[in-house]
Amino acid sequence: MRSIVLFCICLVSLTTLQAQTQPTFHVIMIGATEDKTLARACQLDLLRFHEQFSKIAESIGYAYKPDLLVKENFSNAAIRKSILGLTCGAEDIVVFYYTGHGFNLTKYAGNFPIMAIDTTGDGNFPLMLMHEELMKKKPRFCLTIGDCCNKVIDENVPQDRSMVKGTACNPAIFRQLFLQQRGGVIVASSKRGQVSGAAPGGSFYTWSLLQSIDYACHYNERVTWEQLLDDTQTRMWSIQAARQAKQESIFTVGLASDSTATGPDSQVAVAPANPTATPSSASVDSNAVAPAQPAMVATNGGPAAPQPAAPVSAQRPDFSDVNGFLNTLADESLTYAVRTSKQTQAGQYFVHNARVKVYVNATQVALIPLDQLMSRYSTLAKSIRQVNIVERLSKLDPSGRFYTEVAVQEIWNQ
């Protein structure tokens, strides 16, 4: 931060030495010098930009007049004040420079980014608007530069949460996840070489993971970390921006069942007896270099060694697979033909004459045959943001492998 202080002193000194008879080289510089991730880079950007453009002004015989907007002046209000207060002669030159975070919106038609200055996401200025306002000053020349992201984030992470009436969080789910086995789980929000999306209201993956945990404790009978993290990926892709960017999470699970676990759920088998390392079913990084693993391990891109046969109770439909299947049917980004062709996979999870209790947000709205649910999602995909299976309100056949009655919750776009 000392460099910024010296920078400001230098700017004041330069301004007081300007000759009033010279045409002016106006430079408005804005930087996120206190941002947790960009602070150092933005400080260097501003210093280097200042050094270069002050030399340019001197070399062409212009008076250099910088306006540095950082710290408490890193705000939309300060930018507005700087531009409105700019007095520009016919021979003057104006340069606008921004270094920091940026984004774009589908509903915004411009190709140039929006400066991410207001952390609430409201009222941020598009870079093109700054250029247009400066051009209205009628300078001899105007240069507008934005060094920032231009990633489309058409939607914020949803802040609402709907739970089916009559369901409450079951702490047994947390015991299954944290007390029924020993070992470790490592998770990353994106694959090697990818970016992780975020909006002013939060990061896409964090929101999805917390939502997956929340719904699991309300809706599920049992859950493993593999299921939970696969389901997190499905939920993240309910955010259009994450799906369009093809952001894919990765994880490795290395857990062994804990024979010393006690409590009302200690008899539930939630993990194989040997540690497993499992990449997300949606994101296998075949180029990843894995550390040394125990013998019974499935590594990224490689076949898993044989595992002990799962007990019959564990052969129930995998809720993360069912959620993924249902959300595929309601995925508007897929063509109608693709979505209808996916309906043939229903036999993996449901008996042919299964009955479906349909909830919209918290309220049950219908009890329909399975084939009507398939048709419903083929036609209503545009309205449905997310689908959740409610295990605790569903029924399995005697084999425990197929649903005879299933409860599904639809979260509709607002």
Side-chain angles (χ1 to χ4, degrees), residues 240-304:
Q240 185 181 22
R243 186 170 65 247
Q244 289 177 340
K246 298 182 179 180
Q247 179 181 341
E248 296 177 288
S249 59
I250 56 173
F251 62 82
T252 297
V253 176
L255 297 173
S257 58
D258 184 5
S259 59
T260 65
T262 59
D265 301 290
S266 59
Q267 75 280 6
V268 178
V270 298
N274 293 288
T276 61
T278 308
S280 167
S281 61
S283 57
V284 178
D285 182 1
S286 60
N287 297 318
V289 179
Q293 303 280 357
M296 299 290 283
V297 165
T299 57
N300 290 347

Side-chain angles (χ1 to χ4, degrees), residues 52-241:
Q52 182 63 61
F53 279 79
S54 63
K55 290 178 183 178
I56 293 172
E58 181 181 5
S59 68
I60 63 176
Y62 271 59
Y64 184 62
K65 188 177 181 180
D67 187 6
L68 179 65
L69 304 180
V70 295
K71 299 180 70 175
E72 66 271 15
N73 287 323
F74 183 74
S75 67
N76 290 320
I79 294 173
R80 183 185 296 108
K81 181 179 179 181
S82 178
I83 292 180
L84 291 177
L86 179 66
T87 300
C88 187
E91 294 301 311
D92 286 359
I93 293 172
V94 178
V95 175
F96 181 95
Y97 174 71
Y98 171 74
T99 176
H101 291 291
F103 62 98
N104 214 318
L105 300 170
T106 300
K107 64 183 179 182
Y108 172 60
N111 290 321
F112 291 92
I114 298 169
M115 299 179 296
I117 293 175
D118 183 347
T119 56
T120 66
D122 298 322
N124 284 302
F125 294 133
L127 191 67
M128 178 57 76
L129 177 62
M130 301 296 94
H131 186 68
E132 291 170 348
E133 290 299 315
L134 291 171
M135 287 295 292
K136 292 177 183 178
K137 304 288 183 177
K138 299 189 182 302
R140 177 188 180 91
F141 177 78
C142 178
L143 173 65
T144 303
I145 302 171
D147 188 351
C148 57
C149 288
N150 195 6
K151 182 180 177 64
V152 173
I153 52 169
D154 185 46
E155 67 217 280
N156 203 337
V157 293
Q159 301 302 313
D160 60 311
R161 179 177 67 95
S162 296
M163 292 295 172
V164 168
K165 291 179 180 178
T167 59
C169 185
N170 180 5
I173 292 295
F174 299 144
R175 291 194 291 271
Q176 290 173 24
L177 291 171
F178 294 97
L179 297 178
Q180 293 294 313
Q181 58 272 308
R182 294 181 181 271
V185 177
I186 182 171
V187 185
S189 61
S190 56
K191 294 172 63 177
R192 179 188 177 104
Q194 291 186 332
V195 297
S196 291
S203 298
F204 297 158
Y205 188 82
T206 297
W207 170 83
S208 304
L209 175 60
L210 296 178
Q211 188 190 60
S212 186
I213 293 172
D214 204 18
Y215 277 101
C217 80
H218 281 77
Y219 292 174
N220 289 0
E221 296 288 353
R222 62 194 67 194
V223 62
T224 67
W225 275 106
E226 291 91 340
Q227 292 172 332
L228 186 80
L229 295 174
D230 279 337
D231 190 55
T232 298
Q233 175 67 43
T234 297
R235 294 180 186 282
M236 185 166 67
W237 276 19
S238 73
I239 302 172
Q240 185 181 22

Side-chain angles (χ1 to χ4, degrees), residues 359-376:
Y359 293 81
V360 173
N361 295 331
T363 306
Q364 183 176 345
V365 297
L367 178 62
I368 58 177
L370 180 65
D371 58 350
Q372 288 187 22
L373 183 74
M374 303 296 102
S375 299
R376 178 183 177 88

